[in-house]
Amino acid sequence: MNEGNFGEFGGSYVPEGLQTVLDDLANQFNKYKDDPDFNADFKYYLKEYVGRENPLTYAENLTEYVGGAKIYLKREDLNHTGAHKINNTIGQILLAKRMGATRIIAETGAGQHGVATATACAMFKIPCTIYMGTEDIKRQALNVFRMELLGAKVVPVNEGQGRLKEAVDAALNELVENYETTFYLLGSAVGPHPFPSMVRHFQSIISEEARRQILDKEGKLPKAVVACVGGGSNAIGAFANFIDDADVRLIGVEPIEAASISKGVPAILHGFKCLTLLDEAGNPSETNSIAAGLDYPGVGPEHSYLSETGRAEYVQASGADALEAFQLLSKIEGIIPALESAHAVFYAMKLAKELSPEDSIIVNLSGRGDKDVSQVFDMLKK
Ligand SMILES: *Cc1c(COP(=O)(O)O)cnc(C)c1O
C-alpha cells in the first residue's frame, strides 16, 4: 500500500502547487514523528497542559443499570478544553514550530476545532487565523467569541453555502499562497495525505493509554472499543493500538443523520477519497446531526478502509438515541457527555447487554457536554 492510501481510499487529489506543499509536510512529519526530542515535547505538553493521562473510569452505575459487560469510559472529556481535539492540535503545532511556521491557520465548522486551535496558539504565542463559513458564524456566535477571546482572528467565508466545506477550501487556498510562513492545522482524520496519518498518530495516545489501563484493571483486553465517528479522529485514536488485537471488536458509531460509511459511496471530497454522502446532483449532501461535531458528509479514509475490510464495524445511532444516553449518563454517573460521545454511549449500552459480566467494553468519551446543555434544554422544552 502506498503511503497515504488505505485500499482505494485516501490519497491526495489536489492541484500541483498544493501537492508540493503537502509533500514537504509529509517529509517533515515522517522526520519528526520518531524523533525523541519531538516526542518528549509532545508528551510534556500532553501532561502539563492537556492534563493527561486521563482516567479509564469504570462506569459502575451504568453497568449495573444495563446488566452485562462492564462499561469503561476513556475520559477525553477531562482534557483541557473538554475534548480529544486538543491532542491533535498540540501535536501539529509542535510540528509547525519545528518547520519554522510563524502563523497557524485552521478551518472550523461548529467551532470546536477552531477553539482548540486558538487555545494552543495562545499558549505557544503563535498568531492564528480561523476560517469559518458565514452561516456557521451565525449559528455559533459564542464559539466565535471564544476564539476571539483566545486571540484568534476569525475570517468569514462567504462562498457557496458558507459552511465547513467552503472554510476548508479557503484554508487550503491560503496555505498554497503563504506556505513559507503558514501551517494549516487540520482538525480531523480527513483531508489529503499526510493529514489522516498525522491526525491518527497524535490521537493514538488515546488507545496507547486505554490499552495499558484496561490490562491493568481487568488483566485482559476488552471485547470491544466503541467510539463516535464524525471525521473519525477520536475513533481512529481509540482504535489504533487495538487494530492488531484481532479479538477486540472495533465499533464506530455514526449518526443516522450523517452516516457516511453506512450510506455513502466512494467519492473525492476535499482532496481525498472516502465514503461520502452525495445528493442527487452528485454534490456532498447536507447533513443534520444534532451533534455539530458529527455533521460531515465524508469520513476519514482509514475508516472507509476498515469498514471495507471488515476489521471495524460501523453502526448508527439517532439524535433521539443520543439524547437519551446524554440524559442517562448525566443522571446516573454524574458525567454530562458531549452529544457526539452520547452516540457511542448509546450503542455501548446496547452491546453490553449482549455480553457477559466477565467481559468489558471501552467507550471513548470524546468530550464533555457543557457546550451542549443549552441546545438540549431547547430540545427538551419542545
Ligand atoms: C469534533 C468532535 C467529534 C467528532 O470528530 P471526530 O474527528 O470524528 O472525532 C466528536 N466528539 C467531540 C466531543 C468533538 O468535539
Side-chain angles (χ1 to χ4, degrees), residues 45-240:
Y45 288 105
L46 287 183
K47 176 165 185 279
E48 301 294 334
Y49 192 67
V50 177
R52 303 198 79 96
E53 94 179 22
N54 57 40
L56 180 71
T57 305
Y58 173 40
E60 194 172 352
N61 300 335
L62 185 66
T63 299
E64 198 171 294
Y65 175 88
V66 170
K70 289 185 180 172
I71 301 173
Y72 282 89
L73 306 172
K74 181 58 177 158
R75 303 294 303 281
E76 295 301 307
D77 62 313
L78 294 180
N79 295 343
H80 177 48
T81 68
H84 69 288
K85 287 199 172 72
I86 191 85
N87 304 327
N88 168 52
T89 310
I90 298 278
Q92 286 196 47
I93 288 201
L94 288 173
L95 180 61
K97 282 177 57 127
R98 294 290 202 285
M99 289 172 65
T102 53
R103 65 190 281 266
I104 299 285
I105 59 172
E107 84 296 342
T108 200
Q112 289 151 235
H113 174 56
V115 169
T117 303
T119 299
C121 285
M123 196 259 293
F124 284 108
K125 296 185 286 209
I126 304 185
C128 165
T129 301
I130 307 288
Y131 289 91
M132 191 169 185
T134 41
E135 266 313 299
D136 288 333
I137 286 182
K138 270 189 236 156
R139 297 189 298 182
Q140 304 286 344
L142 211 54
N143 270 341
V144 174
F145 179 60
R146 217 171 252 139
M147 288 181 259
E148 288 169 350
L149 268 181
L150 292 159
K153 186 172 159 212
V154 180
V155 175
V157 180
N158 231 326
E159 277 77 23
Q161 300 180 336
R163 292 186 60 181
L164 179 62
K165 179 182 180 303
E166 289 79 20
V168 174
D169 291 338
L172 286 171
N173 284 338
E174 156 82 66
L175 175 64
V176 177
E177 275 167 34
N178 295 315
Y179 78 94
E180 310 246 344
T181 56
T182 301
F183 186 98
Y184 177 19
L185 207 164
L186 206 136
S188 188
V190 298
H193 179 69
F195 285 111
S197 304
M198 196 156 73
V199 174
R200 172 209 221 256
H201 177 77
F202 294 131
Q203 291 294 0
S204 58
I205 185 70
I206 299 171
S207 51
E208 187 185 313
E209 290 176 2
R211 193 174 186 284
R212 190 182 344 109
Q213 289 170 315
I214 196 77
L215 286 173
D216 239 23
K217 288 172 197 276
E218 289 290 316
K220 61 177 182 181
L221 291 170
K223 273 280 165 218
V225 177
V226 182
C228 65
V229 178
S233 70
N234 89 86
I236 204 68
F239 292 174

